[in-house]
Amino acid sequence: MNHAGLSGGLEWYGRTREIEAPLLVIHGSVDPVIDHAHGVALSRAVKGARLVTLQDAGHDLHPDDWETMTRAITAHTSAASPPHGAR
């Protein structure tokens, strides 16, 4: 439960729509720690974000989902363009 130890970050509260970097949200459909609705909301709040829902997955990274996650991350990072002016 390391989430309970988090603090700070209030200066970023409400600024999600400012994110311009390509965003991939991977979230378990039955996450008991952070409800799936939060992943959905995050993906909707960031323009162009993509949500991958791991069906019947909780909060942990289960080996049964590794292929789905790896494919999603590979597709996401392959499609991402470098920042303007970067090489």
Side-chain angles (χ1 to χ4, degrees):
M1 293 302 298
N2 59 347
H3 300 337
L6 295 175
S7 64
L10 291 178
E11 66 273 15
W12 298 105
Y13 186 78
R15 296 181 62 188
T16 311
R17 295 196 185 280
E18 295 178 35
I19 297 173
E20 295 181 7
L23 180 66
L24 173 65
V25 179
I26 300 176
H27 208 289
S29 66
V30 292
D31 187 332
V33 179
I34 301 174
D35 191 81
H36 182 257
H38 291 279
V40 172
L42 177 60
S43 69
R44 289 180 178 164
V46 177
K47 183 179 179 179
R50 179 170 173 243
L51 172 65
V52 173
T53 298
L54 303 174
Q55 294 302 320
D56 301 318
H59 193 71
D60 58 332
L61 301 176
H62 195 277
D64 289 348
D65 296 318
W66 290 356
E67 183 175 346
T68 300
M69 291 185 291
T70 301
R71 286 178 190 238
I73 293 167
T74 301
H76 180 74
T77 57
S78 295
S81 300
H84 182 71
R87 293 179 185 228

